[in-house]
Amino acid sequence: MLEEKLDLTVLKKLGLPINDEIDLSLWNDFLTRLKNPTQTIEIGLVGKYVELHDAYKSIAESIVHAGAENSCKVNINWIHSEDISSSNYIEKLSNLNGIIVAPGFGHRGMKGKILAARFARENNVPYLGICLGMQVAVIEFARNVLNLEDADSTEMSPKTPYPVIDLMEQQKGITDYGGTMRLGSYECRIIDTNSKVFKAYNKHTIHERHRNRYEFNDSFREKYIAAGMIPVGVNPETDLVEIIEIPEHKWFVGVQFHPEYRSTVLNPHPVFVDFIKNSLVQ
Amino acid sequence: MRKLSETRYIFVTGGVTSSLGKGILASSLAKLLQSRGFNVTIQKLDPYINIDPGTLNPYEHGECFVTEDGAETDLDLGHYERFLNEATSQANNVTTGRIYQSVISKERKGDYLGKTVQIIPHITDEIKRRIKILGSKGNYDIVITEIGGTVGDIESLPYIESVRQLKWELGSKAMVIHLTLVPYLAATGELKTKPTQHSVKQLLEEGVQPDILVLRTEYDIDLSVREKVAFFVMWQLKLWYNRLMLHNLRGSLKNA
């Protein structure tokens, strides 16, 4: 496109001056790193729409950005959450250097997602849970570590005895589906400076984009902290838990927000960069 | 901040089929213009009646991209942000549903003073207003507006008509880039230009003459093919972009 001078034709056509030298150096740096990886890793992306890769476009692109930043080629293993069962999950997931459980809604594929979180937690495999992926990690931890049988999100089972994920207060009473979620950029304070995310961002206050109705149920917070899953990032106004981590684990992070919306070629997202960095084969 | 005294508008339309890569074309062009020092933004007009893609099944439409200001938008806005390294907003994604919603609510408020509310001028005026919002903010030298869908669709008619009016109003400050397909027939070993001819003819029937054609093909387009397209569809031989361009663009700007 540059060779065919489309940009110059356009500028001429619009009667605009062509004086600035084109500066694509940062862009080309990215391409150089992208094209000269020093190693290859396998990342599993678990979701229920994996047949259509465009359904996870921003996540896939964020992985590419973060891979290039680490001079690493990342093969995305697209794993359908409904294909994971208790009889095959070890076989399906054991070749992976890291696991991402993708955002989503509804109960379809939840079982497989929970198994993926469990596998990552038990085998010290780097785990990034995004939105529902964080909630899945919270539910898995409740069932298998806190021994709260049938713990769930009220989105999936409204009558669960342990609603560790629940509808946000502000969402109660909303009946329309369109445009009624918690949407857009919100502030998040990282309260634990020993956390992985604090090291990744190197900041106390971050802004990230949201798209959710359900949240971590705060009444369980103490139980989680006691057992080793720590809320490390909260919304400063509402105290909603936005980030959870397992400090004992190599890299186990769940984020209620969507870091993938903010990753760009020139600014790869710190959460993805740190996740890939920790998934590298040492 | 804008450097130019007035914003320029580039419209990107598509012919023959969807999924030709209008979004990638718009993003790449924007990136090049940005690299030459202009402040550029990209807008997507989606000709469906949903207010936004928030409630669309991801199988049908891919990811729903969320902007800083909380708009649920088309996944192409993600490409724009990743390429340009700049945030977009609700104003960067407009659907037919949103256009009609605001026209109907104005009608209910009595803003049209008893007039009969029609596609022309009321819907087209609303479309033009939405296109010009980004320019009127004073931040952008160039606004690239991608018209979703394919020329000839009933859904996209009001958008093409709005482009026609804007070209007339803005003169040399607006231009149209039309992206089409030049398929290769293995049986005869030929690149076929007929779909492009028909698609440009359709655009001309709707009153819009493209300033630049971008041809997407699987093979290199030689001069004779270019001349043939020029002969059939354009009054003057302008510049031509072929697979090489899309190839380079994918090669150099891919995965971004």
Side-chain angles (χ1 to χ4, degrees):
Chain A
M1 190 146 158
L2 190 55
E3 276 173 31
E4 295 261 0
K5 301 190 176 65
L6 180 60
D7 54 334
L8 298 183
T9 313
V10 166
L11 290 177
K12 262 183 225 154
K13 189 83 204 161
L14 292 172
L16 295 179
I18 305 167
N19 38 23
D20 287 324
E21 272 300 299
I22 192 154
D23 180 12
L24 281 168
S25 55
L26 290 171
W27 190 273
N28 290 329
D29 289 349
F30 162 78
L31 290 174
T32 309
R33 281 196 302 277
L34 184 69
K35 285 179 187 154
N36 300 290
T38 53
Q39 64 167 285
T40 301
I41 60 169
E42 305 293 326
I43 295 293
L45 178 54
V46 181
K48 65 173 174 177
Y49 303 114
V50 292
E51 303 93 320
L52 183 71
H53 293 182
D54 269 1
Y56 303 108
K57 191 69 193 168
S58 294
I59 295 177
E61 297 293 329
S62 301
I63 293 173
V64 172
H65 303 158
E69 187 70 10
N70 283 295
S71 297
C72 161
K73 177 171 166 38
V74 182
N75 287 331
I76 299 177
N77 294 233
W78 302 88
I79 301 170
H80 200 295
S81 47
E82 286 179 302
D83 291 345
I84 304 176
S85 69
S86 45
S87 57
N88 71 7
Y89 75 104
I90 295 175
E91 172 202 346
K92 271 205 171 303
L93 305 172
S94 53
N95 71 317
L96 301 171
N97 301 104
I99 295 173
I100 295 178
V101 173
F105 298 92
H107 67 276
R108 193 163 68 88
M110 272 301 276
K111 237 180 175 167
K113 291 181 179 179
I114 289 172
L115 284 166
R118 176 176 191 169
F119 178 85
R121 182 179 58 77
E122 289 180 344
N123 294 285
N124 213 26
V125 175
Y127 178 89
L128 172 57
I130 301 173
C131 197
L132 182 62
M134 163 188 146
Q135 301 182 352
V136 160
V138 167
I139 295 166
E140 190 278 322
F141 198 84
R143 290 183 188 173
N144 299 320
V145 179
L146 304 177
N147 294 314
L148 303 175
E149 203 182 327
D150 294 328
D152 212 333
S153 162
T154 49
E155 180 182 6
M156 318 303 165
S157 56
K159 298 214 167 92
T160 171
Y162 304 108
V164 291
I165 303 291
D166 199 6
L167 198 60
M168 276 181 272
E169 228 17 79
Q170 307 89 303
Q171 287 286 331
K172 291 179 180 163
I174 292 178
T175 52
D176 279 4
Y177 278 113
T180 55
M181 278 184 268
R182 180 180 184 223
L183 285 165
S185 183
Y186 286 86
E187 191 175 313
C188 169
R189 189 151 299 151
I190 301 180
I191 50 179
D192 183 346
T193 50
N194 292 316
S195 63
K196 276 133 188 149
V197 283
F198 181 76
K199 283 173 195 137
Y201 282 99
N202 199 22
K203 265 193 221 167
H204 290 280
T205 301
I206 57 173
H207 291 86
E208 293 287 356
R209 299 184 199 172
H210 290 257
R211 185 173 188 244
N212 65 302
R213 290 183 208 280
Y214 289 82
E215 54 153 344
F216 180 85
N217 182 344
D218 218 30
S219 57
F220 290 88
R221 191 187 286 209
E222 293 312 317
K223 276 201 176 80
Y224 276 87
I225 293 175
M229 181 178 266
I230 316 291
V232 296
V234 296
N235 180 297
E237 278 166 34
T238 56
D239 208 34
L240 290 180
V241 172
E242 311 279 35
I243 311 171
I244 54 101
E245 277 189 20
I246 300 178
E248 292 306 308
H249 189 282
K250 184 179 179 193
W251 205 93
F252 193 101
V253 175
V255 289
Q256 184 56 66
F257 49 78
H258 292 257
E260 71 274 19
Y261 293 145
R262 287 177 51 94
S263 187
T264 70
V265 171
L266 299 185
N267 282 322
H269 196 283
V271 165
F272 282 95
V273 172
D274 208 48
F275 167 67
I276 297 295
K277 192 172 163 192
N278 282 278
S279 304
L280 295 178
V281 186
Q282 301 303 329
Chain B
M1 271 317 280
R2 183 164 75 190
K3 294 190 202 163
L4 303 170
S5 57
E6 284 169 290
T7 302
R8 308 301 202 270
Y9 295 87
I10 301 171
F11 300 100
V12 178
T13 58
V16 186
T17 80
S18 56
S19 308
L20 278 182
K22 283 197 301 284
I24 298 280
L25 171 66
S27 307
S28 313
L29 176 61
K31 183 73 206 171
L32 292 178
L33 295 170
Q34 185 192 50
S35 310
R36 291 197 184 271
F38 294 100
N39 290 315
V40 188
T41 192
I42 315 179
Q43 179 184 43
K44 173 95 188 267
L45 306 182
D46 277 313
Y48 50 70
I49 295 171
N50 305 61
I51 300 291
D52 60 43
T55 52
L56 286 175
N57 183 342
Y59 279 134
E60 265 187 50
H61 227 79
E63 164 189 278
C64 170
F65 187 81
V66 178
T67 59
E68 289 285 302
D69 62 351
E72 295 177 285
T73 68
D74 190 81
L75 85 168
D76 274 335
L77 270 78
H79 289 307
Y80 307 160
E81 291 204 6
R82 288 187 286 272
F83 269 65
L84 296 180
N85 200 30
E86 260 190 50
T88 56
S89 67
Q90 179 65 70
N92 293 74
N93 191 197
V94 176
T95 68
T96 296
R98 204 168 277 278
I99 299 281
Y100 273 80
Q101 190 184 43
S102 49
V103 168
I104 290 169
S105 88
K106 276 184 203 164
E107 186 272 330
R108 292 286 83 181
K109 275 191 268 170
D111 289 0
Y112 296 116
L113 304 173
K115 289 251 190 271
T116 307
V117 180
Q118 293 174 299
I119 292 187
I120 302 172
H122 301 102
I123 295 295
T124 50
D125 278 353
E126 181 63 20
I127 293 172
K128 290 194 288 182
R129 190 181 72 81
R130 300 268 181 167
I131 292 171
K132 290 200 273 192
I133 280 177
L134 285 167
S136 66
K137 284 184 181 161
N139 297 330
Y140 302 109
D141 300 309
I142 299 169
V143 176
I144 300 181
T145 298
E146 177 191 344
I147 316 273
T150 306
V151 169
D153 294 347
I154 290 179
E155 283 85 354
S156 63
L157 277 172
Y159 293 97
I160 303 295
E161 168 61 16
S162 304
V163 169
R164 186 193 68 77
Q165 294 178 18
L166 278 172
K167 270 200 89 176
W168 183 73
E169 287 169 27
L170 295 164
S172 64
K173 287 187 277 301
M175 67 180 293
V176 175
I177 301 179
H178 187 58
L179 174 64
T180 75
L181 179 70
V182 178
Y184 177 76
L185 279 195
T188 55
E190 277 178 306
L191 286 166
K192 305 304 280 184
T193 62
K194 190 72 83 189
T196 298
Q197 295 174 35
H198 280 296
S199 151
V200 176
K201 213 172 268 176
Q202 181 75 46
L203 199 53
L204 291 171
E205 265 173 36
E206 292 173 21
V208 173
Q209 193 197 350
D211 296 282
I212 293 178
L213 278 185
V214 177
L215 310 179
R216 172 132 189 211
T217 89
E218 303 273 305
Y219 296 90
D220 284 341
I221 296 186
D222 61 24
L223 192 65
S224 69
V225 176
R226 295 175 184 219
E227 280 172 350
K228 190 170 173 189
V229 177
F231 176 73
F232 277 108
V233 305
M234 309 279 274
W235 344 131
Q236 298 157 270
L237 183 68
K238 298 247 168 81
L239 279 138
W240 301 96
Y241 299 93
N242 60 12
R243 183 186 75 100
L244 203 64
M245 172 226 121
L246 277 165
H247 177 78
N248 286 342
L249 170 164
R250 291 219 169 248
S252 66
L253 299 178
K254 206 195 159 182
N255 292 324

